[in-house]
Amino acid sequence: EPEVTQTPSHQVTQMGQEVILRCVPISNHLYFYWYRQILGQKVEFLVSFYNNEISEKSEIFDDQFSVERPDGSNFTLKIRSTKLEDSAMYFCASTVQSEKLFFGSGTQLSVL
Amino acid sequence: DQQVKQNSPSLSVQEGRISILNCDYTNSMFDYFLWYKKYPAEGPTFLISISSIKDKNEDGRFTVFLNKSAKHLSLHIVPSQPGDSAVYFCAASGGYGNKLVFGAGTILRVKS
């Protein structure tokens, strides 16, 4: 069964450094998302992406965040200057044209 | 902004009995509701969904009930099995392409 793939599974970085989280959505999907879950908290929406542009973003998704679909298969989340509070599990999700989202296994980001 | 609420942080059930997980929502624009199951260090996995035009959807041991007037939905698992032990998230959507809004989750423990 096709699945959403995320790399790396764990990322440790120093505060102020840039990180790029990578995702390969399911191949025929059209809508792409990033969510995050801080330990012990709910899964929070960050951004949605369709037709090569952001369709919606949350207030968490400030100027430090950006997304890109550089080559038609990868979907990346960049955090320009990481903060301690960016430490979380980041999930990529995709869907073809449905309310049902398929999630990747996540990238655990630890900012020291 | 708690548009989707799961008021029970945890539930413990004996193997073979029924598990009932509850969810309330406040936004009348939601028209599709989903339940996701999540194990530690993994992404949410789709379990079952229901459209707002229905009041019940069944898939094997899992049934979701929707009461639109009360803005309430529930997930019934019968019979419960130890492998069902996980965190269950209720999520709501305003239609395909829109973000999912998640509840805080309920930890289900099924005791053998």
Side-chain angles (χ1 to χ4, degrees):
Chain A
E1 186 175 323
E3 58 182 26
V4 176
T5 306
Q6 288 187 244
T7 55
S9 56
H10 294 85
Q11 176 85 53
V12 180
T13 189
Q14 295 291 323
M15 191 169 55
Q17 294 296 304
E18 174 184 287
V19 293
I20 298 176
L21 309 184
R22 303 182 191 279
C23 170
V24 179
I26 296 172
S27 62
N28 63 332
H29 284 191
L30 302 174
Y31 297 84
F32 313 106
Y33 306 81
W34 284 99
Y35 284 79
R36 78 176 186 187
Q37 185 181 29
I38 294 171
L39 187 63
Q41 298 186 23
K42 63 168 61 179
V43 177
E44 301 176 289
F45 168 76
L46 294 178
V47 65
S48 57
F49 193 86
Y50 170 72
N51 201 25
N52 285 319
E53 61 182 26
I54 290 174
S55 45
E56 187 177 356
K57 60 184 180 180
S58 72
E59 57 188 31
I60 301 168
F61 194 89
D62 62 21
D63 292 344
Q64 293 302 311
F65 291 84
S66 63
V67 289
E68 198 176 41
R69 189 157 160 78
D71 57 11
S73 62
N74 291 285
F75 180 51
T76 61
L77 174 69
K78 183 195 289 188
I79 309 175
R80 266 179 268 281
S81 178
T82 50
K83 301 188 274 263
L84 295 175
E85 55 264 38
D86 293 328
S87 295
M89 181 75 102
Y90 287 79
F91 295 107
C92 174
S94 68
T95 187
V96 54
Q97 199 167 348
S98 161
E99 294 85 353
K100 175 181 165 185
L101 270 57
F102 292 80
F103 286 83
S105 296
T107 294
Q108 179 64 56
L109 177 65
S110 299
V111 182
L112 306 179
Chain B
D1 177 17
Q2 291 200 57
Q3 297 186 69
V4 178
K5 299 178 201 177
Q6 292 177 256
N7 291 320
S8 298
S10 65
L11 174 68
S12 188
V13 170
Q14 198 66 35
E15 181 180 6
R17 307 295 292 268
I18 186 170
S19 297
I20 300 176
L21 297 97
N22 293 303
C23 178
D24 298 291
Y25 63 96
T26 57
N27 190 336
S28 301
M29 299 303 292
F30 291 144
D31 63 1
Y32 201 84
F33 304 91
L34 307 92
W35 286 93
Y36 280 82
K37 179 177 175 180
K38 187 180 179 304
Y39 294 113
E42 293 185 13
T45 303
F46 172 78
L47 195 56
I48 192 169
S49 61
I50 187 166
S51 162
S52 60
I53 62 172
K54 295 187 174 182
D55 55 18
K56 177 182 173 181
N57 188 28
E58 193 171 351
D59 183 2
R61 298 186 296 113
F62 303 92
T63 304
V64 56
F65 296 92
L66 175 63
N67 181 333
K68 277 190 68 177
S69 60
K71 294 191 174 68
H72 176 84
L73 60 153
S74 61
L75 173 68
H76 292 210
I77 306 172
V78 58
S80 302
Q81 299 173 353
D84 296 329
S85 297
V87 181
Y88 288 78
F89 289 98
C90 171
S93 169
Y96 78 76
N98 288 299
K99 66 187 180 192
L100 291 183
V101 179
F102 282 85
T106 297
I107 300 170
L108 174 65
R109 296 187 187 90
V110 180
K111 299 176 288 188
S112 54

